[in-house]
């Protein structure tokens, strides 16, 4: 069984998508685009621009945004206007004409290359889509899992209300929670996400018994390795407090922080939370490094070997970030990076675990399902 452990379905991104208003969603999108590494260009002549057109470089919160009529430009891009000139950033592949990725499109893509199931992740970039994703799962129960999302910046102020929303989402068929640490910093919350005031929330959500997928990053772009490790230490404390909860670190590590002349250099400190827990690690390389190296990404082989030897392949999960990853490589290439090009690098059993076995175990799927 092949399972894409990290993909997305979403309605058009120019809509509210669970935010109170369309404008609030667009403001969040503008904040994310202001820190994203995809290039900026001027539509008139393709002249190179930069992210400072969208926000003050030193202010990583929503307060730092500039008024530029940020909007959906269709065909996978966002556009905005500065001094009468239109600029763009290609965040999604151009075939997403209205910046939507419905489940029918994802399943057609899965069918084409032979992927059995996919796990739909959640992020405010796409909106708060618990009901939308529940509908996806209800319509395609043998193909899709999905994760719930919440406003992470509110957990200490409305812990029971947010736990109730997660429980409601689970009752409609969602299969776990995605918790994105950096969303709190977007809304100027500097208190740790595992501070004592957050404990009622965590006690409530862990009692629901579903996996929790953590998206953990340093507080803001430009942060150091030590900034990231400080967040991992918080997560390690959380894992110690809730040892019986199935936890997954999404995306893997922030791979760009660990680039070296010869590939990736992963310090031992990254693995500390895994040594004291049963947490799993997602392997999403191309979405981060797809514009650094080219297919078949053989530069990754030493890192993949290191991860298998350090953690074991039964704790590693392949994922793609579809459809976003098709900025750099197509769906088949993403799968073949492991299924074909890791043959002889790691064992066949390790490959099978990574591209589906670990995820199947996490969601209690038998071999025949």
């Amino acid at each position: 069984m092949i399972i894409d452990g990290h993909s997305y379905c979403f309605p058009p991104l120019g809509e509210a998508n669970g935010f109170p208003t369309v404008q609030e969603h667009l403001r969040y999108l503008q904040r994310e685009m202001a820190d994203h590494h995809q290039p900026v260009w001027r539509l008139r002549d393709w002249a190179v621009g930069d992210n400072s057109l969208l926000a003050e470089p030193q202010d990583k919160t929503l307060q730092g945004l500039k008024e530029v009529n940020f909007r959906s430009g269709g065909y996978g891009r966002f556009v905005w206007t500065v001094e009468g000139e239109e600029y763009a950033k290609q965040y999604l592949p151009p075939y997403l004409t209205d910046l939507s990725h419905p489940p029918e499109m994802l399943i057609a893509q899965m069918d084409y290359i032979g992927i059995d199931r996919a796990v739909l992740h959640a992020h405010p970039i796409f909106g708060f889509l618990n009901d939308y994703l529940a509908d996806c799962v209800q319509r395609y129960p043998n193909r899709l899992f999905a994760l719930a999302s919440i406003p992470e910046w509110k957990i200490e102020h409305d812990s029971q209300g947010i736990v109730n929303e997660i429980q409601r989402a689970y009752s409609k068929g969602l299969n776990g929670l995605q918790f994105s640490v950096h969303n709190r910093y977007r809304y100027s919350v500097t208190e740790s996400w595992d501070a004592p005031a957050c404990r009622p929330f965590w006690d409530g959500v862990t009692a629901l018994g579903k996996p929790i997928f953590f998206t953990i990053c340093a507080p803001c772009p430009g942060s150091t390795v030590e900034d990231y490790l400080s967040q991992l230490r918080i997560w390690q404390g959380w894992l110690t407090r809730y040892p019986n909860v199935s936890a997954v670190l999404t995306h893997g590590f922030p791979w760009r922080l660990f680039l070296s002349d010869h590939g990736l250099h992963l310090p031992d400190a990254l693995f500390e939370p895994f040594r004291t827990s049963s947490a799993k690690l997602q392997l999403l390389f191309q979405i981060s490094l797809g514009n650094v190296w080219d297919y078949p990404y053989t530069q990754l082989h030493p890192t993949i070997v290191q991860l298998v030897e350090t953690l074991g392949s039964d704790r590693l999960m392949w994922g793609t970030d579809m459809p976003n990853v098709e900025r750099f490589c197509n769906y088949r290439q993403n799968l073949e990076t492991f299924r074909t090009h890791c043959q002889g690098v790691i064992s066949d059993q390790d490959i099978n675990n990574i591209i589906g076995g670990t995820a199947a175990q996490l969601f209690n799927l038998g071999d025949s399902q």
Side-chain angles (χ1 to χ4, degrees):
M1 179 178 292
I2 299 176
I3 301 175
D4 180 354
H6 192 127
S7 56
Y8 293 96
C9 290
F10 47 87
L13 296 190
E15 300 176 1
N17 294 9
F19 279 81
T21 65
V22 171
Q23 189 56 35
E24 287 191 46
H25 187 203
L26 287 174
R27 282 178 56 78
Y28 187 92
L29 283 163
Q30 181 178 340
R31 178 63 269 170
E32 289 292 310
M33 295 307 106
D35 288 325
H36 198 272
H37 58 74
Q38 277 290 90
V40 173
W41 78 91
R42 189 166 60 193
L43 285 177
R44 173 170 57 85
D45 57 3
W46 296 347
V48 176
D50 62 66
N51 285 340
S52 65
L53 296 170
L54 290 171
E56 296 295 339
Q58 302 306 316
D59 188 341
K60 303 300 182 181
T61 71
L62 291 170
Q63 281 64 49
L65 295 178
K66 296 180 179 180
E67 296 300 325
V68 293
N69 188 24
F70 183 87
R71 59 202 184 273
S72 166
Y75 302 97
R77 67 178 63 166
F78 295 105
V79 298
W80 61 96
T81 306
V82 177
E83 297 180 352
E85 294 279 7
E86 289 193 331
Y87 293 84
K89 177 172 287 201
Q90 192 78 43
Y91 180 68
L92 297 166
Y95 63 78
L96 299 186
T97 55
D98 65 350
L99 278 70
S100 72
H101 193 237
E104 292 79 11
M105 181 180 289
L106 176 63
I107 287 172
Q109 293 164 314
M110 293 163 59
D111 288 345
Y112 183 56
I113 61 171
I115 295 176
D116 298 285
R117 293 183 179 238
V119 183
L120 303 181
H121 280 239
H123 195 285
I125 286 177
F126 307 108
F128 292 101
L129 301 176
N130 290 344
D131 289 337
Y132 176 91
L133 295 180
D135 180 67
C136 294
V137 172
Q138 289 165 10
R139 286 193 287 141
Y140 302 101
N142 296 322
R143 303 303 300 277
L144 301 176
F145 300 101
L147 306 179
S149 60
I150 58 167
E152 290 91 346
W153 53 95
K154 296 181 179 180
I155 60 172
E156 57 262 72
H157 305 297
D158 185 22
S159 58
Q160 190 57 55
I162 295 176
V163 170
N164 289 344
E165 166 58 19
I166 296 168
Q167 189 169 28
R168 185 191 72 85
Y170 289 172
S171 73
K172 297 187 70 174
L174 297 194
N175 308 93
L177 172 68
Q178 181 161 1
F179 188 88
S180 297
V181 169
H182 84 288
N183 287 334
R184 291 171 61 82
Y185 301 107
R186 290 288 186 239
Y187 285 84
S188 305
V189 179
T190 57
E191 191 73 17
S192 168
W193 54 272
D194 194 34
C198 301
R199 299 289 166 75
F201 165 78
W202 287 119
D203 289 345
V205 72
T206 55
L208 299 178
K210 299 282 189 182
I212 301 178
F213 288 66
F214 288 86
T215 300
I216 295 178
C217 58
C220 61
S223 298
T224 65
V225 169
E226 181 52 40
D227 292 329
Y228 177 68
L229 292 176
S230 70
Q231 290 296 315
L232 278 191
R233 286 191 285 270
I234 295 172
W235 187 50
Q236 184 172 6
W238 186 96
L239 293 168
T240 300
R241 189 174 304 106
Y242 302 106
N244 297 320
V245 177
S246 296
V248 180
L249 185 64
T250 74
H251 296 83
F253 303 120
W255 307 113
R256 284 174 172 258
L257 272 180
F258 304 103
L259 280 168
S260 70
D261 292 339
H262 305 289
L264 294 170
H265 174 72
L266 303 183
D268 289 343
L270 291 174
F271 300 105
E272 285 302 318
F274 298 90
R275 293 190 176 101
T276 57
S277 75
S278 60
K280 295 175 171 57
L281 180 73
Q282 286 190 336
L283 301 185
L284 277 71
F285 291 115
Q286 291 90 337
I287 191 63
S288 178
L289 300 171
N291 63 345
V292 177
W293 300 316
D294 293 324
Y295 178 78
Y297 307 106
T298 55
Q299 297 91 339
L300 294 171
H301 288 173
T303 296
I304 293 170
V305 170
Q306 179 186 7
L307 292 168
V308 168
E309 291 179 348
T310 304
L311 299 179
S313 61
D314 58 345
R315 298 175 70 182
L316 302 175
M317 294 173 56
W318 169 68
T320 64
D321 218 74
M322 274 290 288
N324 308 359
V325 74
E326 292 205 332
R327 305 175 200 134
F328 305 129
C329 70
N330 65 42
Y331 210 178
R332 185 182 301 277
Q333 288 173 326
N334 204 305
L335 175 59
E336 296 305 331
T337 299
F338 288 94
R339 183 169 62 180
T340 297
H341 296 287
C342 278
Q343 290 182 6
V345 178
I346 55 177
S347 73
D348 289 348
Q349 183 60 58
D350 290 330
I351 293 173
N352 290 336
N353 284 342
I354 290 169
I355 66 175
T358 300
Q361 184 274 331
L362 180 71
F363 291 108
N364 299 312
L365 293 179
D367 292 338
S368 62
Q369 296 189 57

